[in-house]
Amino acid sequence: MKKQVSQTISACSFYLRNINQISRFLPRPTKERVVNAIITSRLDYCNALLYGTSAVNIARLQRIQNTAARLIMRSPRSDSATPLLRELNWLPIVCRVDFKLLVFTYKAMHNDPPVYLCELVCPYQPTRTLRSANNNMLEVKRTRTKAGDCSFAVTAASLWNNLPTVIKTCDNLTSFKRLLKTHFFRIAY
């Protein structure tokens, strides 16, 4: 993933420099739209594949997001980016990766998913009667390798099982996303 992250950072840095040159002529809402359209979309592209990647790669992508937040808020580099991200209502990169994986999981469980996703997301069915049988949990597949632990079948189930029951029992995708973002926002900030 190092090459993919490096290419993403290179493209984002190029566009951030160009946006910075015209930023003083743009009002804040316009800067937000431009940054969301160009930078955030690149950070979110295929970011579900980043689950389990090194902390160095995540930190590099987080620096780009922090730079984008500082550009929008016209804040110096010495200021902390955490309050800026909170004010912009942006999740950190790690939470964005988990968010996307959980949205894929929700869609695989509730919408009409492709057959291959149905095979990867299996509801937990205990062999005997347990209280956890009604908690809307998924079966976590066992693996023997680090790559296996980062597969969709394992990560989706483990992330899903760690969610509060209120979020897991949402009846539509919009309310699920809203509750999930609020949950991650509380964790991150």
Side-chain angles (χ1 to χ4, degrees):
M1 294 307 294
K2 186 176 182 181
K3 184 177 179 183
Q4 170 69 25
V5 169
S6 294
Q7 289 176 346
T8 302
I9 289 170
S10 176
C12 288
S13 297
F14 171 77
Y15 287 114
L16 280 172
R17 282 191 299 274
N18 289 338
I19 294 168
N20 190 31
Q21 291 176 352
I22 63 168
S23 68
R24 65 176 179 241
F25 303 114
L26 300 174
R28 182 179 160 194
T30 306
K31 278 192 282 190
E32 282 186 55
R33 285 189 201 107
V34 169
V35 168
N36 280 329
I38 297 173
I39 306 302
T40 305
S41 63
R42 290 180 190 278
L43 291 175
D44 286 344
Y45 179 71
C46 291
N47 70 349
L49 298 173
L50 293 173
Y51 189 87
T53 191
S54 69
V56 173
N57 285 335
I58 297 293
R60 293 173 66 203
L61 291 170
Q62 187 62 53
R63 279 194 295 273
I64 291 294
Q65 188 183 35
N66 294 348
T67 303
R70 287 187 185 104
L71 181 119
I72 290 172
M73 305 299 282
R74 299 185 58 91
S75 177
R77 289 183 67 179
S78 59
D79 287 355
S80 173
T82 305
L84 303 176
L85 293 173
R86 188 180 318 123
E87 186 176 336
L88 289 169
N89 204 20
W90 288 357
L91 290 173
I93 297 295
V94 175
C95 294
R96 293 175 90 86
V97 170
D98 293 349
F99 181 86
K100 186 172 267 188
L101 282 168
L102 286 167
V103 168
F104 286 154
T105 306
Y106 182 88
K107 287 179 179 179
M109 292 175 61
H110 294 90
N111 296 348
D112 190 22
V115 176
Y116 65 89
L117 280 181
C118 290
E119 294 171 356
L120 296 175
V121 178
C122 302
Y124 174 65
Q125 297 172 344
T127 54
R128 58 183 193 272
T129 306
L130 298 174
R131 284 181 287 170
S132 62
N134 297 330
N135 285 350
N136 198 11
M137 296 179 73
L138 296 177
E139 182 181 334
V140 180
K141 301 191 184 320
R142 294 180 184 226
T143 61
R144 295 176 189 246
T145 63
K146 174 78 170 151
D149 291 343
C150 293
S151 68
F152 179 76
V154 175
T155 57
S158 61
L159 288 172
W160 184 266
N161 292 344
N162 289 333
L163 284 178
T165 307
V166 174
I167 299 174
K168 290 191 279 190
T169 56
C170 283
D171 53 349
N172 63 20
L173 183 60
T174 306
S175 63
F176 175 77
K177 285 181 177 181
R178 183 178 41 83
L179 290 172
L180 185 61
K181 185 168 182 180
T182 304
H183 172 69
F184 280 130
F185 211 73
R186 282 191 201 121
I187 291 172
Y189 303 114

